[in-house]
Amino acid sequence: MTNKKKSNKEIEGAEYGVDSRYSSKKERQVDGKALMEARLRKMQNVSEDQIIKAKLLQLKLNMEEYIKKPVYKDHNFFTEFLTIYIDTIYSRRNNFAKDINITPVRLSQVLNNHRDPKEEFMLRLMIHSEKTYKNVCQFHKKTWYQVYFHEKICDTMSSQDEWRPSVEKHVSISKLIKA
Amino acid sequence: MIVIDTATGKIHEVEIEPVETGDYQSLTKRRYFFNWMDEKDKEVYKLKIIGTSGIIGLVSIERIPKEWRIHIRLLTVSKENKGNDKKYENIAGNLITFVSKIAVREYAELACVSLKPKGVLAQHYIDKFGMNITGKTLSVEISEILNLINTYDHD
């Protein structure tokens, strides 16, 4: 077989698989070091725009991961994601408030979990994100809503011990369906 | 993410999930080219068409947080998806993009995915996935990752 023929055959099946396991720790270290040096050189040319895109992509992926599974943890995910979103794009949060036409006080109340976001806030956030992500990656309109309600559901389910005794008193079944 | 049936052009949505212990029995070298049992204690993912049970792609990775990097240890498509007569297009691209998404989740703008193919395969990966070459290591960084995600990720 000629070299050319051999080469064509291998390229044809190129995607069938790659075995790129390192044969030794030393190989891994040497390759890692060389790669890091090359990357650090390249990183000097990464634009501010690309950094913002990367952070927005990271945020989107984290939100999508969050809504995939129940998280029973006393943590304000919605406001955490929202804070990251705003701080990634704006140097001053007031400018975001201005862009979605709400008062800085109202934004602060939402970010600090003193007030739930109103419907109009959610709708404006949805449109704002749609426009922001347009040149970054796909972003589902429903994502913020999903995060918000996912957190509500998880919180409600995980805090039943607290709310159930007082709520259950108000619920009676006059027509119980037989088993 | 999607794969395309090369015969009909039909598009199928795919899902990528962690390989479960029970899967390894079916991951034969004959169908998946490598001894996947060797990867049992590693982070391994399988690609399937949604609604089907057949695994058509596999990838094993190693996270290297100190270098903000994820190294692809092994990557393969199933036997019927090898070469010019492959049944579905996009399997390797989807797997590399999936790993890239994990890298972005972990390291944002510092994200890097690397692999070290042997022989002439490197040029194929450079041409097809826009990979950079350093010595014998191929890699994608944030700029290429954004391109990959916009090409392969329709989620």
Side-chain angles (χ1 to χ4, degrees), chain B residues 68-82:
Chain B
W68 316 301
R69 169 164 78 107
I70 296 181
H71 186 68
I72 293 178
R73 291 170 50 82
L74 271 184
L75 181 147
T76 197
V77 299
S78 57
K79 196 179 171 188
E80 71 276 13
N81 289 297
K82 177 188 172 185

Side-chain angles (χ1 to χ4, degrees), chain B residues 129-140:
Chain B
F129 304 114
M131 290 191 152
N132 303 304
I133 186 159
T134 308
K136 287 181 179 173
T137 305
L138 299 184
S139 63
V140 281

Side-chain angles (χ1 to χ4, degrees), chain A residues 10 12 15-22 27-28 31 39 42 50 55 58 61-62 65 136, chain B residues 39 62 67 69 71-73 75-77 105 110 116 118 120 124-125 128 132 141 143 150:
Chain A
E10 281 172 354
E12 182 194 313
E15 280 182 33
Y16 83 87
V18 182
D19 181 355
S20 67
R21 289 173 287 192
Y22 293 118
E27 184 194 8
R28 186 170 168 273
D31 281 7
R39 285 168 60 203
K42 245 185 290 170
Q50 276 183 319
K55 288 187 188 300
Q58 182 186 41
L61 295 172
N62 281 333
E65 199 60 28
V136 181
Chain B
E39 299 299 293
E62 178 187 358
E67 298 175 25
R69 169 164 78 107
H71 186 68
I72 293 178
R73 291 170 50 82
L75 181 147
T76 197
V77 299
R105 273 195 69 207
L110 303 172
K116 198 176 177 184
K118 277 124 190 145
V120 293
H124 174 80
Y125 281 84
K128 185 144 187 188
N132 303 304
E141 283 87 29
S143 169
N150 283 320

